Amino acid sequence: MSMEDMKSVLVNFNMQTGLSSKWDSIRRNLSAMGGMFADEAKHAEMVEQDDVLVYEFYDSGRPERPGEVAFGTSITYPGKVGDEYFMTKGHFHTILETAEVYYCLRGHGYMLMENPEGDWEAQELKPGLAVYVPERYAHRSINVSDSEPLITFYAFRGDAGHDYGTIETKGFRKLIVEREGKPEIIDNPKWAGEME
Ligand code: MN
């Protein structure tokens, strides 16, 4: 069998950076995170000063079929907007009844999750810990370290799809902020609730 005929995939992810030299990452700078952080004035000020990279991740490009598995790494950099830690936008899956697994390779953070019924959960991420995100739960990675990237490897059903719009519009019910040097889960003062 020639290399061109191969259907299997071999890809590298660096254990220190989370990055692959074989694929191009999708990058989200602060300016791409408008409205996601509670302190919008602080966010605008930071974008003006230095539009830093907040997180990046990979799209494995698998066909969107139920038998496929999409996978890659996600890297969230250390930083805060005011007292709110850097995080990913977070999303529901378009097919709500699809779960996902994240395995933490490096750093310290949380996976924040909530479902449309109003249940929420937060799991701490440290190297060696895997979190299973159940079906119906939106999920967001949050980096609570002040020095290290939060690196996870994820895998989910190939046709699950991403719904970013619901979170962009409504936010999460909870935020993770720094209080006296430690992460604390608080109610999101701006949570939009039922939009109907
Ligand atoms: Mn997902």
Side-chain angles (χ1 to χ4, degrees):
M1 188 172 198
S2 75
M3 292 294 277
E4 294 83 67
D5 295 329
M6 286 181 73
K7 296 191 171 83
S8 59
V9 175
L10 190 66
V11 62
N12 62 333
F13 294 107
N14 182 289
M15 296 290 282
Q16 288 306 305
T17 65
L19 299 173
S20 177
S21 63
K22 295 181 184 283
W23 293 350
D24 291 325
S25 69
I26 296 166
R27 296 158 66 90
R28 300 274 185 253
N29 288 66
L30 260 185
S31 56
M33 302 282 289
M36 308 299 294
F37 292 96
D39 189 341
E40 291 193 37
K42 182 70 184 171
H43 173 263
E45 182 192 318
M46 288 175 70
V47 169
E48 192 76 15
Q49 281 173 3
D50 189 7
D51 185 18
V52 296
L53 182 62
V54 177
Y55 70 101
E56 54 191 311
F57 63 100
Y58 291 95
D59 176 352
S60 56
R62 301 306 308 162
E64 293 186 6
R65 295 197 296 256
E68 290 279 348
V69 175
F71 68 97
T73 53
S74 168
I75 304 107
T76 306
Y77 294 99
K80 282 180 297 194
V81 175
D83 59 6
E84 191 175 11
Y85 298 104
F86 276 13
M87 61 193 182
T88 63
K89 284 188 172 186
H91 58 267
F92 285 96
H93 290 160
T94 310
I95 301 176
L96 260 184
E97 280 74 26
T98 52
E100 182 159 357
V101 175
Y102 285 78
Y103 180 64
C104 183
L105 300 172
R106 185 180 171 199
H108 183 206
Y110 285 84
M111 185 65 69
L112 183 61
M113 298 163 272
E114 70 173 46
N115 68 10
E117 289 69 49
D119 306 313
W120 67 273
E121 300 188 11
Q123 292 284 8
E124 195 169 3
L125 293 170
K126 287 179 178 176
L129 293 176
V131 59
Y132 183 79
V133 178
E135 59 180 32
R136 301 187 67 77
Y137 276 76
H139 37 288
R140 156 181 287 171
S141 303
I142 299 167
N143 184 348
V144 303
S145 164
D146 58 11
S147 56
E148 269 193 308
L150 175 67
I151 303 174
T152 54
F153 178 88
Y154 63 84
F156 62 94
R157 206 175 94 180
D159 64 338
H162 290 95
D163 164 19
Y164 289 102
T166 304
I167 295 300
E168 283 175 345
T169 308
K170 296 176 66 172
F172 274 74
R173 288 170 170 80
K174 299 287 174 180
L175 305 180
I176 302 190
V177 298
E178 188 175 85
R179 291 278 189 271
E180 291 164 5
K182 285 196 212 151
E184 194 170 302
I185 301 170
I186 62 167
D187 288 333
N188 179 359
K190 288 180 10 190
W191 187 69
E194 296 303 324
M195 301 299 283
E196 292 88 284

